[in-house]
Amino acid sequence: MMPIGPLMIEHRLIERMIDVMREELNLFEKEKKLNSDFVEMAVDFIRTYADRCHHGKEEDILFRELGTKKLKDEHHHTMEELVEEHRWGRKMTARLVEANKRYTEGNGEAMTTVTDCMRSLIHFYPKHIEKEDKHFFIPCMDYFTEAERQALLREEWEFDRNLIHEKYKNMVIAVEKKLTALTL
Ligand SMILES: [Fe+2]
Ligand SMILES: [Fe+2]
């Protein structure tokens, strides 16, 4: 398998989640109320899977190695755009989290911000994925030898293997901090 194989498989799951988010958004607008538990679950998917796991492998492995190659201007430019789009996605997700929190605290007006953020993310992901799948990933493989491709793939598996430990270690650190703050 090429190192873009796992990334493309992950794109398919992100698309499925975006489809569910689209359906939920329609429901929120029809019923004029949010299901904040769904929003929280979607945020966890976006932050842990789409951003940390998926964008993490793109930026920390594939793009890092592409950065050591003499890229064509077109590929260099696209890679910068993709990193900038990842940053935009993080900011939009943070806005979504903040508005969903306000909504759960009883601020009904926050609903518009939640639905706007969801709509933006639903619009963003398919375009971002198409840019990578159709215009970037495949031509970029030509910069690597077969041995380099295999090393990239191995590093991706290792990255994934460590992820669940990282997620739950951070969760324990966060709850420990909360507890310490409470008992001080
Ligand atoms: Fe990406
Ligand atoms: Fe991607």
Side-chain angles (χ1 to χ4, degrees):
M1 189 190 273
M2 287 212 276
I4 54 172
L7 300 174
M8 286 171 131
I9 291 167
E10 288 164 9
H11 281 169
R12 304 292 78 80
L13 194 67
I14 295 168
E15 285 168 344
R16 285 167 62 186
M17 188 61 187
I18 291 295
D19 287 343
V20 177
M21 284 172 68
R22 193 178 295 109
E23 292 300 318
E24 287 287 333
L25 176 62
N26 288 339
L27 207 62
F28 296 169
E29 291 186 323
K30 209 169 96 191
E31 295 181 343
K32 297 191 177 13
K33 69 177 170 75
L34 297 178
N35 174 352
S36 286
D37 290 343
F38 173 82
V39 177
E40 247 180 63
M41 193 265 294
V43 162
D44 179 62
F45 178 88
I46 291 170
R47 283 190 159 165
T48 306
Y49 189 79
D51 196 38
R52 184 70 192 110
C53 169
H54 179 73
H55 296 162
K57 287 202 288 298
E58 289 174 349
E59 290 184 11
D60 299 351
I61 301 174
L62 180 62
F63 297 178
R64 180 201 68 208
E65 287 307 306
L66 282 170
T68 68
K69 306 285 180 184
K70 178 97 191 73
L71 300 185
K72 285 185 187 164
D73 284 352
E74 146 196 22
H75 297 142
H76 181 73
H77 178 70
T78 304
M79 192 163 81
E80 284 187 338
E81 276 180 1
L82 293 170
V83 171
E84 189 46 47
E85 288 171 15
H86 292 170
R87 280 198 205 107
W88 178 92
R90 276 169 211 134
K91 274 191 220 149
M92 190 54 64
T93 309
R95 271 187 70 188
L96 174 60
V97 169
E98 188 272 331
N100 191 45
K101 182 170 179 284
R102 276 192 289 129
Y103 183 84
T104 57
E105 288 166 354
N107 183 341
E109 285 177 17
M111 178 171 167
T112 317
T113 311
V114 170
T115 52
D116 284 350
C117 291
M118 281 179 71
R119 199 173 297 104
S120 297
L121 290 165
I122 289 164
H123 187 67
F124 160 73
Y125 270 103
K127 284 201 305 180
H128 179 80
I129 285 172
E130 190 186 354
K131 194 188 275 188
E132 291 176 339
D133 278 355
K134 303 239 168 89
H135 307 286
F136 189 69
F137 280 177
I138 292 168
C140 281
M141 286 298 95
D142 291 342
Y143 292 109
F144 299 112
T145 63
E146 184 51 32
E148 286 172 329
R149 289 178 189 176
Q150 290 313 310
L152 282 170
L153 191 59
R154 275 195 303 275
E155 197 178 345
E156 288 177 1
W157 297 136
E158 187 64 13
F159 185 97
D160 281 350
R161 201 179 64 76
N162 289 326
L163 211 60
I164 191 147
H165 301 283
E166 175 189 292
K167 178 175 164 88
Y168 288 101
K169 188 176 174 190
N170 287 339
M171 195 190 82
V172 172
I173 290 170
V175 289
E176 280 174 348
K177 270 190 192 154
K178 255 191 204 166
L179 196 64
T180 312
L182 279 175
T183 51
L184 277 178

